[in-house]
Amino acid sequence: MKIELISVIGLLLCLLIIGIEYILLYRLAELQDEHTARTENIRRRLDIHVEGVLYAPTDGSRNAEITAMANEINGDFTVYEMAVEAIREHNGSSFSGDDEAKERLIERINAQVDPVAIYVKMLDEGDVYHKGYACRRLAELNAQEYRDKIKDCVGSKDRDLSYNAAMALCRMGDVYEVAEYLLSIENDTLYSGRIVNEFFAQFTGDRGELASLIFEKCNKYMKCTVIKTIAIYKLDRFRPMFLEGASGDDSQMKIACVKALAAFGYPEDEQLLQIAAGDKDWVIRSSAIRGLSLLKTQSALNTVKHALGDKEWWVRQTAAQVITRMDISPKDLEEILGGYDRFAADAMKNVLYKSVE
């Protein structure tokens, strides 16, 4: 009897818990529907205002619509961004391709709404997520006067906030703060490599100065990462470093420096690249082949042709890809495709088939 009573009580408790969970889920669904309906309602009103501003017959009516839109925004960053999106995506017949007119309208709205003030308030009062978002938006608005506030966030113990603040300063061209941030994460090799590439791509200041500041204090891993990253920017000031590293004994530095020199494609580097094309490390060989492909000499072409038979698939594939961009004659092509070296022929055929597709 006692066991049966306990079982009944347990069953009732389970049913009670299930009922409470159902009620909570139902309420969450209601809240989601209310939020969706409210958002759609705001979006419809914003679309009406955009139409009213873009097609207003007089300046007075246009100003009235802009004021109405500013009142609709009322300091809410989500509504502000919806308004900007509505303007930029407007496809009316008269403004579908007139991006300048849309940007002028956004500027007039900004004059009344002051989006910088909205994001500064978020930076001061928001949670970690909103602070990071505010940093990025202030950078996009080029709010240089609030750079110090963003700098304070770079030192945050929260990784995401620190990253977003540093990225904001990257967009603002703050070379010293960005260099210090990258140095602070240099030991996190699984994280820093991607960040270095991203930051140099987004940096609006002098990339050479940024690299120089990092080189002054960084460890070997960060130095190699930065060298490989800046290769595409062809910064001549670092050529002496690249030449020294490409001729040295450190394999990681050699890989980075050969890749950097290969990007230049300078004729005076051909001998060094020819030597690198015979290196025991296939990564170095592959980078050297890419560099040689930029040269217009017969010796460079011969080395790339030879690399089509390399024992490493990646080197063969690299050679096949780049040789199609060189001044290769029909005779050379026929020799490769019909020769005894099946590695070379297969690699070349693979690239040619892809180019046709």
Side-chain angles (χ1 to χ4, degrees), residues 86-113:
I87 294 168
R88 287 181 173 152
E89 294 186 355
H90 180 77
N91 291 317
S93 58
S94 300
F95 290 90
S96 59
D98 194 349
D99 292 335
E100 290 185 6
K102 294 176 182 180
E103 292 303 319
R104 286 196 299 270
L105 172 56
I106 292 171
E107 289 175 7
R108 293 183 66 177
I109 293 171
N110 287 349
Q112 291 200 35
V113 173

Side-chain angles (χ1 to χ4, degrees), residues 57-318:
T58 65
D59 285 339
S61 59
R62 181 174 291 107
N63 291 334
E65 288 291 353
I66 291 174
T67 300
M69 186 178 289
N71 292 335
E72 187 77 52
I73 294 169
N74 192 30
D76 188 324
F77 83 95
T78 56
V79 180
Y80 167 73
E81 291 179 359
M82 287 169 62
V84 171
E85 181 185 12
I87 294 168
R88 287 181 173 152
E89 294 186 355
H90 180 77
N91 291 317
S93 58
S94 300
F95 290 90
S96 59
D98 194 349
D99 292 335
E100 290 185 6
K102 294 176 182 180
E103 292 303 319
R104 286 196 299 270
L105 172 56
I106 292 171
E107 289 175 7
R108 293 183 66 177
I109 293 171
N110 287 349
Q112 291 200 35
V113 173
D114 192 4
V116 170
I118 294 175
Y119 294 114
V120 169
K121 183 178 180 182
M122 187 188 300
L123 190 59
D124 290 335
E125 302 175 2
D127 57 21
V128 170
Y129 169 78
H130 284 100
K131 283 178 182 289
Y133 185 76
C135 288
R136 298 287 287 266
R137 294 295 286 123
L138 287 170
E140 291 174 13
L141 293 167
N142 197 30
Q144 296 285 346
E145 64 272 27
Y146 294 101
R147 187 183 292 190
D148 288 341
K149 281 182 173 289
I150 297 174
K151 286 181 181 179
D152 291 340
C153 294
V154 176
S156 171
K157 293 181 180 179
D158 184 90
R159 189 173 191 170
D160 288 337
L161 175 55
S162 179
Y163 161 79
N164 281 296
M167 175 55 83
L169 293 175
C170 188
R171 297 291 298 273
M172 290 177 161
D174 192 323
V175 63
Y176 296 102
E177 199 68 38
V178 172
E180 287 301 314
Y181 173 76
L182 291 177
L183 288 168
S184 73
I185 62 171
E186 66 178 353
N187 291 319
D188 189 349
T189 56
L190 295 177
Y191 181 68
S192 58
R194 176 180 64 82
I195 301 301
V196 167
N197 279 278
E198 187 178 3
F199 273 45
F200 270 92
Q202 297 291 326
F203 191 64
T204 59
D206 186 334
R207 291 189 178 96
E209 185 180 3
L210 176 59
S212 293
L213 288 174
I214 296 172
F215 288 148
E216 288 176 6
K217 302 178 182 179
C218 69
N219 60 22
K220 188 181 77 171
Y221 169 79
M222 178 60 78
K223 188 173 185 179
C224 291
T225 300
V226 172
I227 289 173
K228 287 185 282 188
T229 298
I230 64 176
I232 62 173
Y233 304 115
K234 302 180 182 180
L235 302 176
D236 279 291
R237 71 173 80 176
F238 300 117
R239 273 182 57 76
M241 179 198 300
F242 300 157
L243 289 167
E244 180 182 355
S247 303
D249 298 325
D250 187 294
S251 61
Q252 293 303 311
M253 187 62 65
K254 194 171 185 178
I255 289 171
C257 291
V258 168
K259 179 178 180 179
L261 290 173
F264 284 96
Y266 288 167
E268 56 265 36
D269 294 334
E270 180 174 355
Q271 184 178 1
L272 188 151
L273 292 175
Q274 291 279 9
I275 295 171
D279 196 272
K280 62 182 180 180
D281 191 312
W282 71 265
V283 179
I284 294 176
R285 297 200 304 274
S286 181
S287 296
I289 293 302
R290 287 190 182 280
L292 289 169
S293 71
L294 299 177
L295 306 178
K296 303 298 182 181
T297 65
Q298 185 61 45
S299 58
L301 176 59
N302 290 338
T303 302
V304 177
K305 283 172 58 180
H306 179 73
L308 287 166
D310 195 278
K311 63 181 180 180
E312 175 60 49
W313 182 88
W314 289 106
V315 179
R316 297 197 301 272
Q317 188 66 13
T318 298

Side-chain angles (χ1 to χ4, degrees), residues 16-35:
L16 179 62
I17 292 171
I18 292 172
I20 292 172
E21 288 180 344
Y22 175 80
I23 293 171
L24 289 174
L25 289 172
Y26 181 78
R27 183 53 184 156
L28 286 173
E30 279 189 330
L31 291 173
Q32 180 64 36
D33 289 341
E34 289 173 8
H35 175 74

